[in-house]
């Protein structure tokens, strides 16, 4: 299975997950008020995922955030059991994001 961005609704807001080729969610977006804003978020992940400087480990070292060029968080990881697990998650985002297709599960509004 190829990696993909799953664009979906969360209540009345839009969000996406980056799902790796093995079916694991490796990044979950912030919530967006419009589909267009969520789509822009996906484009920002694709643009910034390969840049190590755009990642920030949380204080626990078991989660990370990916930031856009303006410093805003685009998405975050799950909680990992260890810092090494979180670092492996970052690598999964880096390798999956650029070529991932979008699976749009939202209804056109």
């Amino acid at each position: 299975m190829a990696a993909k961005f799953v664009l979906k609704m969360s209540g009345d807001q839009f969000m996406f997950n980056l799902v790796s080729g093995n079916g694991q969610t490796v990044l979950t977006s912030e919530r967006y008020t419009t589909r267009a804003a969520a789509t822009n978020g996906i484009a920002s992940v694709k643009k910034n995922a390969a840049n190590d400087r755009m990642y920030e480990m949380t204080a626990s070292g078991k989660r990370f955030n990916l930031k856009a060029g303006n410093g805003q968080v685009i998405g975050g990881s799950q909680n990992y059991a260890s810092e090494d697990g979180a670092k492996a998650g970052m690598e999964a985002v880096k390798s999956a994001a650029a070529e991932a297709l979008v699976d749009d599960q939202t209804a056109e509004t």
Side-chain angles (χ1 to χ4, degrees):
M1 175 172 111
K4 63 183 176 180
F5 289 96
V6 178
L7 178 61
K8 59 187 180 177
M9 299 296 297
S10 176
D12 64 348
Q13 295 184 317
F14 297 82
M15 51 111 27
F16 60 86
N17 289 316
L18 176 58
V19 180
S20 68
N22 66 5
Q24 297 294 311
T25 297
V26 293
L27 190 76
T28 298
S29 75
E30 302 297 303
R31 303 303 186 263
Y32 298 91
T33 56
T34 66
R35 183 177 175 280
T39 301
N40 287 341
I42 291 170
S44 186
V45 170
K46 287 180 173 248
K47 177 181 177 182
N48 292 292
N51 187 340
D52 289 336
R53 295 182 320 209
M54 297 303 182
Y55 291 88
E56 161 187 271
M57 293 292 285
T58 62
S60 71
K62 296 180 181 179
R63 281 183 53 92
F64 64 87
N65 291 318
L66 175 62
K67 293 186 172 188
N70 63 6
Q72 288 189 304
V73 173
I74 311 166
S77 72
Q78 64 178 341
N79 280 318
Y80 288 91
S82 66
E83 186 173 338
D84 286 342
K87 288 179 180 177
M90 278 188 238
E91 292 303 317
V93 172
K94 289 177 194 175
S95 66
E99 300 300 320
L101 300 177
V102 177
D103 177 5
D104 187 349
Q105 298 180 359
T106 66
E108 292 290 333
T109 56

